[in-house]
Amino acid sequence: MKSITSIITMAIMAVCAIVANATEYTWTPTATGTYNWNDPANWGGGGYPNAPGDVAKLDNAITAQQTIQLREAITVAKIVVGNSGASGYSRQIANATSETFQLTLNSGDATTPAEIVFGTSPGTPQFRIQVPVTLASDLVVDMGGTSTTINQLLYFDNEVSLGTRTLTFVGGIFGANQIFFASGSEFSGSGPIINNSSATIQVTGKKAYGGRLILNGRASVSNTQTLSVIDGGFTNASEIVVNGYVTESIDVKGGGIQEGNGAAQATNPGQRFTHHRTTLNGGYFFKYGQAATVGTANDWQKGLEWDRDDIEVIDFKSGFTYFAGGAHVTTAGSVLNVDRIERSPGASAYLFGWNSTNVNLFVEEIDECLIGSEVNADTRRKIIPWMGVYGSGNSREPAGVATYDSATGLRLLGEADCATSVTAGADHNVRITANFTLAADATVNSLTHAAYATPNMGAGRTLTIGSGGLFFYRDNRGIGASGNAAAGTVNFGSVEGMISVIRVQTITIGAALAGSNGFSKLHTGTLTLTGDNSGMSGPVHVGGGTLRVGDGTYASNVGSGDVDVHAGAVLRISCDNAIANPATVRLYNLGPDFYFGKMEIDAGRNELIRFLFLGDEGMPAGTYGGTGSGADNILPDYFSGTGVLTVSSNAAALGGTTLIVVK
């Protein structure tokens, strides 16, 4: 069976390769009315499209709405809809009363997808497919350009039988509602539905589809609704995958899913997210709910029912995810119940809007996520170090890490939950608001650095962070001044170090980093390392924002481990020997070919490593760099700066290696 990666690549690269024996037919009627597809007089030139490879060009300048009835089962490879002279007018493909003929999309070539392509019709013309559709080929739907004056709408109003085929959307307007899975539509089969477009898929009614939805989005600006489930949903989908990343200003690039929009709805559709698995590789997840409608009859419209969704697994697999909740003030509230949360190294999240009087996020199997000791509600609480949580004030800025309360769910580890001294003990979560030094080595569960200070802990002194959680809340601060012999050491022991630098902040750690299980740079800010981190082993993940190694004056390194750079994140090399020579570097690629993990290599630097993977592809030995670097391989999607990465060994000879697969 083909991988999703190969399916998407095939769909994008081959959309124009309709088979050589294809026949094109051009629709001729322009006036309003109902017409038969199988009437040759309507197509001009004799005959009508009804064979694998045939092209149906519905791109004439119609002057009013038209209905085209099939009158028999029809097969085509490509449908072209609309042109510049068809301003605002709509077409629908339908069946006559009591007829159930289907439209089959078949390119006639096993390696080539069928197509639906929108032209350049101004206004908001609609193309409604009201007949059953069967895919005998993969299908690519091109929603057209990005101009908001050409807002073409596609409605699926009947069953779409995917089988094992793939339905992919491309093109479209950033964030616009252009693709509608209407109340009469249904999807069957196991083939995936992939949104590579910049437009929103809006779902009305419950879909029984049990396949996978993959949300990429391809937005170059904030695009937060790749899939919108307001009065419908994909309750039975096996998985919804979100691919994207979040910028320093908490703008989302790429995929996103939104439940509810704060507007009033006639009925409560109940479950809208999939019951099963949601996988988040960065991007956006927002559960909002609906408003009440005053004076209506049922409890949902009155705002007396809670808006509830249940998900078996939410997997934070890669990158940084904006994970938001909300409820309209006139409703009882919104609640999300999750059986289990999973997370891979390098992944992090910003929980915004949860844990209020009417917005809650509950997790059944939460203990395996929480780290530390818990004694009632004092300064010894279990925490989730990779989850940043909103506190108050700037909505783009998490105030600290997550803890859990059985009554209200996931919430912020607040100031009252924290000790204020790094000598409080190993069970304590500490929040420092002033400078400190260590008279002796100390251990804490986690450290939130909220001081306007860069403490030097003392020569030979070590602060061990048992949970791995080091969260920086203030800008332009750090731990250990660069080049200072009294900077000290931050030791993560045998756990993954999780260093969070939020929003647009810049943090410098001049202290040495140590530990046997590597560390992850989390959230969207910039972390600069200027200490000797040779005591660090294990993998290093750049999960979001920028990790800079060295600052141009002081050299540093990431220890002896391999380095993974997640999509949207940047590893900047500003000194020699930043990465161990035997190490492997993996630069992620989501989508694929939409969002990249990148290396920025400063001028004059030539960083030597053993193996390089770009996405899941092993690269041959050689030099790699960005424009102007003079490297043998110029790859601006992955590299910038004029320095060079030298790869000593041929990773391509290792065979296939899975990195971050969109399954």
Side-chain angles (χ1 to χ4, degrees):
M1 182 175 178
K2 293 176 287 186
S3 69
I4 294 299
T5 295
S6 64
I7 290 171
I8 300 172
T9 302
M10 179 193 73
I12 294 171
M13 297 301 293
V15 290
C16 296
I18 299 298
V19 292
N21 65 349
T23 302
E24 289 190 356
Y25 298 85
T26 301
W27 186 257
T28 57
T30 59
T32 186
T34 298
Y35 303 88
N36 291 340
W37 180 291
N38 62 349
D39 184 349
N42 292 327
W43 290 97
Y48 57 93
N50 189 18
D54 281 357
V55 177
K57 300 184 70 176
L58 305 176
D59 60 351
N60 61 329
I62 64 172
T63 58
Q65 181 167 324
Q66 294 183 350
T67 297
I68 303 173
Q69 294 181 338
L70 294 187
R71 307 313 309 274
E72 65 177 291
I74 296 294
T75 297
V76 293
K78 181 176 181 177
I79 300 174
V80 182
V81 186
N83 69 8
S84 59
S87 178
Y89 295 113
S90 303
R91 281 192 173 95
Q92 58 188 17
I93 297 177
N95 276 309
T97 302
S98 77
E99 294 181 344
T100 59
F101 295 117
Q102 71 177 16
L103 174 67
T104 298
L105 290 157
N106 186 349
S107 70
D109 181 344
T111 63
T112 302
E115 297 177 77
I116 297 175
V117 178
F118 283 82
T120 56
S121 299
T124 56
Q126 299 179 9
F127 179 48
R128 290 182 175 269
I129 303 177
Q130 296 181 318
V131 299
V133 174
T134 295
L135 302 190
S137 303
D138 294 339
L139 174 63
V140 173
V141 180
D142 188 342
M143 297 304 302
T146 60
S147 171
T148 55
T149 63
I150 305 173
N151 186 13
Q152 300 167 120
L153 310 181
L154 171 63
Y155 288 79
F156 287 97
D157 281 329
N158 210 311
E159 181 173 357
V160 180
S161 300
L162 297 168
T164 60
R165 303 297 185 177
T166 299
L167 171 58
T168 303
F169 298 93
V170 300
I173 301 169
F174 299 132
N177 293 325
Q178 288 185 277
I179 305 164
F180 296 85
F181 295 167
S183 57
S185 67
E186 186 51 89
F187 298 82
S188 63
S190 59
I193 299 173
I194 302 171
N195 192 4
N196 290 343
S197 80
S198 299
T200 297
I201 297 174
Q202 186 161 314
V203 182
T204 301
K206 293 300 184 63
K207 311 305 177 189
Y209 170 73
R212 178 183 292 114
L213 290 99
I214 299 172
L215 311 177
N216 293 319
R218 292 216 74 172
S220 64
V221 296
S222 178
N223 176 30
T224 57
Q225 298 182 55
T226 311
L227 177 69
S228 177
V229 285
I230 295 171
D231 52 1
F234 279 96
T235 304
N236 297 312
S238 61
E239 184 179 24
I240 297 178
V241 180
V242 177
N243 293 320
Y245 67 98
V246 181
T247 70
E248 292 176 334
S249 298
I250 315 298
D251 287 329
V252 179
K253 308 295 184 181
I257 180 170
Q258 176 169 332
E259 183 258 48
N261 63 353
Q265 296 296 317
T267 59
N268 181 356
Q271 178 77 17
R272 285 177 256 199
F273 297 130
T274 174
H275 272 301
H276 302 297
R277 174 177 288 269
T278 299
T279 298
L280 300 169
N281 297 307
Y284 175 94
F285 183 109
F286 186 17
K287 175 179 170 56
Y288 187 47
Q290 310 298 151
T293 303
V294 177
T296 52
N298 63 65
D299 286 347
W300 169 244
Q301 289 175 297
K302 292 178 179 179
L304 301 178
E305 296 179 14
W306 280 70
D307 171 24
R308 298 179 182 272
D309 285 283
D310 301 288
I311 300 178
E312 291 176 6
V313 178
I314 294 181
D315 182 5
F316 294 89
K317 188 172 184 180
S318 174
F320 176 65
T321 299
Y322 183 81
F323 196 92
H328 199 280
V329 294
T330 62
T331 61
S334 293
V335 61
L336 178 63
N337 295 305
V338 182
D339 287 349
R340 186 172 74 256
I341 286 177
E342 297 177 357
R343 181 249 178 192
S344 300
S348 61
Y350 176 20
L351 303 188
F352 176 75
W354 299 101
N355 189 242
S356 63
T357 56
N358 62 347
V359 188
N360 300 118
L361 171 56
F362 293 104
V363 183
E364 292 293 325
E365 299 178 24
I366 190 66
D367 284 345
E368 62 189 54
C369 299
L370 297 165
I371 304 176
S373 300
E374 178 140 20
V375 180
N376 298 320
D378 67 3
T379 57
R380 290 173 288 180
R381 293 191 64 91
K382 294 181 178 180
I383 63 163
I384 305 177
W386 50 273
M387 275 188 176
V389 184
Y390 174 73
S392 61
N394 193 331
S395 64
R396 298 177 181 271
E397 187 173 84
V401 299
T403 186
Y404 194 80
D405 187 287
S406 59
T408 55
L410 284 164
R411 69 168 178 85
L412 173 68
L413 183 81
E415 294 184 30
D417 300 309
C418 295
T420 57
S421 170
V422 292
T423 61
D427 290 340
H428 290 263
N429 300 295
V430 174
R431 183 183 181 93
I432 61 166
T433 57
N435 209 342
F436 71 90
T437 59
L438 294 178
D441 293 348
T443 300
V444 297
N445 186 52
S446 69
L447 178 64
T448 296
H449 188 316
Y452 288 106
T454 300
N456 291 311
M457 294 180 290
R461 297 301 181 202
T462 296
L463 177 63
T464 298
I465 302 179
S467 70
L470 175 55
F471 186 97
F472 287 95
Y473 183 62
R474 299 294 185 190
D475 197 9
N476 297 317
R477 297 296 184 266
I479 296 180
S482 300
N484 194 307
T489 297
V490 175
N491 187 2
F492 298 114
S494 61
V495 303
E496 172 196 355
M498 289 170 269
I499 306 174
S500 297
V501 182
I502 63 175
R503 206 183 170 206
V504 297
Q505 294 183 355
T506 58
I507 297 295
T508 298
I509 297 180
L513 300 180
S516 61
N517 202 26
F519 71 94
S520 294
K521 155 62 182 71
L522 305 179
H523 295 264
T524 58
T526 297
L527 171 64
T528 300
L529 304 180
T530 59
D532 178 7
N533 303 318
S534 56
M536 175 65 69
S537 60
V540 173
H541 289 265
V542 189
T546 298
L547 174 64
R548 186 181 184 189
V549 188
D551 65 357
T553 300
Y554 295 97
S556 187
N557 58 79
V558 294
S560 60
D562 296 339
V563 183
D564 287 17
V565 184
H566 296 230
V570 177
L571 172 64
R572 181 177 176 184
I573 304 298
S574 297
C575 64
D576 295 329
N577 301 312
I579 305 171
N581 292 352
T584 295
V585 170
R586 301 174 178 88
L587 304 180
Y588 285 22
N589 173 348
L590 289 177
D593 300 324
F594 298 162
Y595 315 113
F596 303 90
K598 298 186 177 183
M599 285 187 70
E600 179 181 351
I601 308 174
D602 288 359
R605 305 300 175 191
N606 188 340
E607 186 65 32
L608 176 65
I609 63 170
R610 186 179 183 191
F611 292 125
L612 173 66
F613 286 85
L614 303 181
D616 58 1
E617 183 179 0
M619 305 306 293
T623 57
Y624 295 79
T627 303
S629 67
D632 298 332
N633 302 282
I634 303 297
L635 301 172
D637 285 333
Y638 291 100
F639 295 94
S640 63
T642 57
V644 171
L645 179 71
T646 296
V647 180
S648 64
S649 298
N650 184 6
L654 299 177
T657 298
T658 297
L659 261 197
I660 178 145
V661 215
V662 182
K663 294 184 177 177

